[in-house]
Amino acid sequence: MKRSRFSDEQIIGVLREHDAGVSVAEVCRRHGMSTATFYAWKAKFGGLEVSEAKRLKALEEENAKLKRLYADAMLDNTALKDLLGKKMVTPAARRNAVAHAVEVHGLSERRACAIISADRSSVRYRSVRPDDAALRARLHELADQRRRFGYRRLHVLLRQEGHAVNRKKTQRLYREEGLAVRRRKSRRRIAVARTPIPLPDGPNSRWSVDFVHDQLACGRRFRVLNIIDDVTKECLAAVVDTSLSGKRVVREMTALIERRGKPGVIVSDNGTEFTSTAVLKFTQEQKLDWRYIAPGKPTQNAFAESFQGRMRDECLNEHLFFSIRHARAIIAGWVHDYNTARPHSSLGYQTPAAYAEALRPQRPSTLRHGESSAPMAVAYGAGARNFHPAIPVATG
């Protein structure tokens, strides 16, 4: 609005000259204005005193100010409603919210920062961090190769390849690239008291034995007999076949003992293969300490259960097997990778083979706390299958 050359007091003075008897034309000629301006002044200020004109002007200014404040409040309210669905916790999210308010609602940066209580210095900050494109690409490649690995094991693999990166950076890149592994939910179980047992303290001091099941593409089922060293975490054997009887277990055990030597203790569940006459006779002849877990307590054979969980998650669930030959080749390759390349968290992210090589100069020892390693008495006859010796067993 164009500012007038006359103040309110001057305008009222001009109108009073006309009231005193001076003609309109003379008043306009004397003050250099048009008749239209004179009549506009008369419509607005006619009959007012100077004090009343000042008060009217103050009211108009206050009214205009209130209108501006109301309009600003409505605009701020609209912007806030638009930002309600956006999370503004991190500095990056606040920067995006401010940019949205500026572009969509036409607010200034200062005003947008005031609305969402953001610091202008953090909004104006521009990251100088490198994009790490090569590292991100390699992380993607490793995650594609090891689809069930989390960021910790991927971090170990990156460090082994020579990438100078700390764990937190690997975790951040892993999260930003959306590589998180979907966790498989397990059934809730009632917590019960467990009887602890002494832990093995040397290679070959204790083996864990168990079966894992799967099926071929044609629907035919097969089993895998897994034998684990509880100290080195090595998979000593993974025997794949459609039928694994007690005699086959004895044959595989005999071959393994010839290669590695006799273990201090063997732990297994109460399956019919492990409680068969062939296995009981074998343990007596070889003077083996074969321990059975309590019925219905798979957690007492925790080392084998943990290994089989990894095998199912990283191998069996990741492949479709077309024949027994194909299954044997895939599982043998995975077991070799597990022993020689896969970092194991309980071994300080060493591979089982490297950990076993470090322990090789040491003499294998027996169980701690004076636990006897003498062979257990076995029963033969009709009741051999239901033989369940009471032993203290716990998770490893």
Side-chain angles (χ1 to χ4, degrees), residues 192-195 197 267-271 291-301 305 387-394:
V192 296
R194 300 171 182 171
T195 306
I197 63 170
V267 179
S268 72
D269 58 20
N270 297 272
R291 301 293 184 93
Y292 296 93
I293 66 174
K297 302 291 184 180
T299 53
Q300 295 180 355
N301 197 13
E305 295 292 340
F387 176 63
H388 303 294
I391 58 167
V393 182

Side-chain angles (χ1 to χ4, degrees), residues 299-362:
T299 53
Q300 295 180 355
N301 197 13
F303 293 101
E305 295 292 340
S306 176
F307 171 79
Q308 292 180 168
R310 303 286 75 74
M311 173 180 279
R312 182 167 298 281
D313 190 30
E314 299 175 12
C315 179
L316 300 181
N317 289 348
E318 294 292 313
H319 296 88
L320 183 63
F321 305 107
F322 298 99
S323 65
I324 286 294
R325 185 188 299 271
H326 183 220
R328 286 171 179 165
I330 293 295
I331 292 175
W334 182 84
V335 169
H336 177 74
D337 179 81
Y338 178 89
N339 287 334
T340 60
R342 183 186 185 276
H344 203 292
S345 59
S346 65
L347 303 179
Y349 290 100
Q350 299 182 66
T351 62
Y355 184 73
E357 185 67 24
L359 295 180
R360 184 166 296 174
Q362 303 176 11

Side-chain angles (χ1 to χ4, degrees), residues 228-378:
I228 313 300
D229 190 311
D230 294 349
V231 174
T232 64
K233 306 299 185 290
E234 292 176 284
C235 178
L236 307 180
V239 184
V240 182
D241 211 332
T242 54
S243 177
L244 292 170
S245 63
K247 293 181 179 180
R248 180 67 179 277
V249 172
V250 169
R251 190 164 70 248
E252 297 295 339
M253 278 287 183
T254 302
L256 184 58
I257 290 174
E258 290 177 356
R259 294 198 307 269
R260 288 186 60 98
K262 187 183 299 184
V265 175
I266 299 176
V267 179
S268 72
D269 58 20
N270 297 272
T272 56
E273 298 83 1
F274 301 136
T275 57
S276 64
T277 303
V279 171
L280 296 175
K281 183 178 179 181
F282 169 71
T283 56
Q284 187 180 42
E285 291 176 351
Q286 296 291 328
K287 298 182 179 180
L288 293 175
D289 188 4
W290 194 299
R291 301 293 184 93
Y292 296 93
I293 66 174
K297 302 291 184 180
T299 53
Q300 295 180 355
N301 197 13
F303 293 101
E305 295 292 340
S306 176
F307 171 79
Q308 292 180 168
R310 303 286 75 74
M311 173 180 279
R312 182 167 298 281
D313 190 30
E314 299 175 12
C315 179
L316 300 181
N317 289 348
E318 294 292 313
H319 296 88
L320 183 63
F321 305 107
F322 298 99
S323 65
I324 286 294
R325 185 188 299 271
H326 183 220
R328 286 171 179 165
I330 293 295
I331 292 175
W334 182 84
V335 169
H336 177 74
D337 179 81
Y338 178 89
N339 287 334
T340 60
R342 183 186 185 276
H344 203 292
S345 59
S346 65
L347 303 179
Y349 290 100
Q350 299 182 66
T351 62
Y355 184 73
E357 185 67 24
L359 295 180
R360 184 166 296 174
Q362 303 176 11
R363 187 175 69 85
S365 58
T366 57
L367 296 179
R368 298 175 187 168
H369 306 301
E371 183 71 17
S372 173
S373 60
M376 298 176 58
V378 294

Side-chain angles (χ1 to χ4, degrees), residues 48-302:
L48 293 179
E49 298 293 334
V50 175
S51 59
E52 295 175 344
K54 288 182 178 180
R55 187 165 60 253
L56 177 62
K57 185 176 181 180
L59 289 174
E60 289 178 351
E61 291 178 353
E62 185 177 357
N63 188 30
K65 184 178 180 180
L66 290 175
K67 286 182 178 180
R68 287 195 301 271
L69 291 176
Y70 179 74
D72 292 344
M74 289 298 294
L75 183 59
D76 294 348
N77 189 27
T78 303
L80 282 175
K81 286 183 178 179
D82 193 16
L83 296 174
L84 279 178
K86 301 180 182 297
K87 290 186 178 181
M88 295 179 290
V89 179
T90 62
R94 291 181 180 273
R95 282 194 289 270
N96 294 335
V98 170
H100 178 79
V102 171
E103 294 176 3
V104 176
H105 300 283
L107 301 177
S108 65
E109 182 184 274
R110 184 189 301 273
R111 186 172 171 187
C113 291
I115 291 175
I116 64 174
S117 301
D119 193 340
R120 293 184 68 195
S121 61
S122 65
V123 171
R124 292 186 173 185
Y125 173 77
R126 294 297 176 265
S127 176
V128 294
R129 177 186 294 164
D131 58 355
D132 299 314
L135 184 60
R136 291 174 185 267
R138 183 54 185 160
L139 188 61
H140 266 285
E141 293 176 2
L142 291 175
D144 290 339
Q145 297 171 6
R146 313 278 188 168
R147 287 180 287 182
R148 299 302 300 175
F149 274 20
Y151 75 90
R152 290 182 175 87
R153 283 193 173 85
L154 294 178
H155 171 70
V156 174
L157 297 179
L158 288 175
R159 293 298 297 267
Q160 289 177 354
E161 293 180 359
H163 293 280
V165 56
N166 60 17
R167 181 193 59 80
K168 292 182 179 180
K169 184 173 182 179
T170 303
Q171 183 181 11
R172 176 175 60 80
L173 297 180
Y174 182 82
R175 182 176 60 251
E176 291 176 357
E177 296 299 318
L179 301 176
V181 178
R182 180 178 63 86
R183 293 187 176 182
R184 295 185 172 97
K185 295 183 179 180
S186 60
R187 178 173 56 90
R188 289 196 174 188
R189 297 174 175 85
I190 300 175
V192 296
R194 300 171 182 171
T195 306
I197 63 170
L199 294 176
D201 59 356
N204 250 24
S205 61
R206 190 169 80 184
W207 293 354
S208 293
V209 186
D210 203 357
F211 287 102
V212 64
H213 302 256
D214 208 330
Q215 64 181 8
L216 304 177
C218 62
R220 187 178 184 184
R221 299 189 65 82
F222 66 89
R223 309 173 76 190
V224 184
L225 172 64
N226 292 318
I227 305 175
I228 313 300
D229 190 311
D230 294 349
V231 174
T232 64
K233 306 299 185 290
E234 292 176 284
C235 178
L236 307 180
V239 184
V240 182
D241 211 332
T242 54
S243 177
L244 292 170
S245 63
K247 293 181 179 180
R248 180 67 179 277
V249 172
V250 169
R251 190 164 70 248
E252 297 295 339
M253 278 287 183
T254 302
L256 184 58
I257 290 174
E258 290 177 356
R259 294 198 307 269
R260 288 186 60 98
K262 187 183 299 184
V265 175
I266 299 176
V267 179
S268 72
D269 58 20
N270 297 272
T272 56
E273 298 83 1
F274 301 136
T275 57
S276 64
T277 303
V279 171
L280 296 175
K281 183 178 179 181
F282 169 71
T283 56
Q284 187 180 42
E285 291 176 351
Q286 296 291 328
K287 298 182 179 180
L288 293 175
D289 188 4
W290 194 299
R291 301 293 184 93
Y292 296 93
I293 66 174
K297 302 291 184 180
T299 53
Q300 295 180 355
N301 197 13

